[in-house]
Amino acid sequence: MVPAAVGHPGNGVFAALCMTLLCAGLFGLLMLNTAMAEGSFTLHNLQSTSGELTDTQDALTQAIDAQRSPANLAARATKLGMVPADSAAFLRLSDGKVLGVAKPAKKESGFTVVTAPQVPSAKTGPDKKADPATTVTKKGDVTTTTEVVTQPDGSVVTTVTSVNAKTKTTTSTTTTKPPAKKPATKPTTPQIATPTQ
């Protein structure tokens, strides 16, 4: 009787190879998850920065629109000593001919700029909305735009927008002041004179 051949145990190379592949796969998965998390944080930061830059752009656009409004341009022209021209002349480039007659402008007491056509109203009393008064001040990196609007009912709405160019932040506050109340007058009672005897 010959005993059956006893299997010889392996030297562990295959097991070590399997463990190495498993560890390498887990390490790769960990690195992939870390990269994805870092990418999501970067995306969130970029989205928040984009929102702040959009707000800054809107505030700067409003400030530019306020600065180039007809009322502000007229006020600046008056400060520079400019006066409105009553007539104009044009040069035709095709033949070099001057069209129209230009006369020197004369300085008057002042001029007004009409920004919208005036519509007559059947109501009595002031019902027109006053033009907004806008002032822009710059202190360091902060540009502050203040716009004051008087409503038809007499209330005053003040909007203050501050843009910090360094931190890219924009703050805006709006306050409304109610119209001033008229003092109530006391009704006077008629005095009746009584005859004396």
Side-chain angles (χ1 to χ4, degrees), residues 50-151:
S50 174
E52 291 175 0
L53 290 175
T54 301
D55 293 341
T56 304
Q57 181 184 6
D58 291 342
L60 291 175
T61 302
Q62 290 177 0
I64 290 172
D65 290 341
Q67 285 296 314
R68 66 183 179 191
S69 66
N72 278 342
L73 291 177
R76 284 191 207 164
T78 304
K79 286 180 183 178
L80 292 173
M82 299 173 73
V83 294
D86 295 330
S87 62
F90 302 95
L91 177 64
R92 189 164 56 194
L93 297 178
S94 60
D95 58 356
K97 185 176 180 182
V98 177
L99 304 175
V101 177
K103 297 177 183 176
K106 296 178 182 177
K107 187 172 184 179
E108 298 175 0
S109 60
F111 64 94
T112 58
V113 177
V114 179
T115 59
Q118 302 294 328
V119 179
S121 175
K123 295 180 181 178
T124 59
D127 59 348
K128 294 187 291 184
K129 185 176 180 181
D131 291 335
T134 305
T135 57
V136 178
T137 57
K138 185 169 184 180
K139 190 172 186 182
D141 295 328
V142 179
T143 303
T144 304
T145 304
T146 305
E147 184 174 336
V148 180
V149 179
T150 304
Q151 300 293 334

Side-chain angles (χ1 to χ4, degrees), residues 1-6:
M1 294 276 306
V2 178
V6 179

Side-chain angles (χ1 to χ4, degrees), residues 13-54:
V13 175
F14 181 72
L17 181 63
C18 289
M19 287 299 293
T20 303
L21 288 176
L22 180 63
C23 289
L26 289 175
F27 182 73
L29 185 61
L30 179 64
M31 293 303 291
L32 180 64
N33 285 339
T34 304
M36 289 177 63
E38 184 180 358
S40 67
F41 282 123
T42 304
L43 179 62
H44 179 269
N45 290 337
L46 289 175
Q47 286 176 344
S48 62
T49 304
S50 174
E52 291 175 0
L53 290 175
T54 301

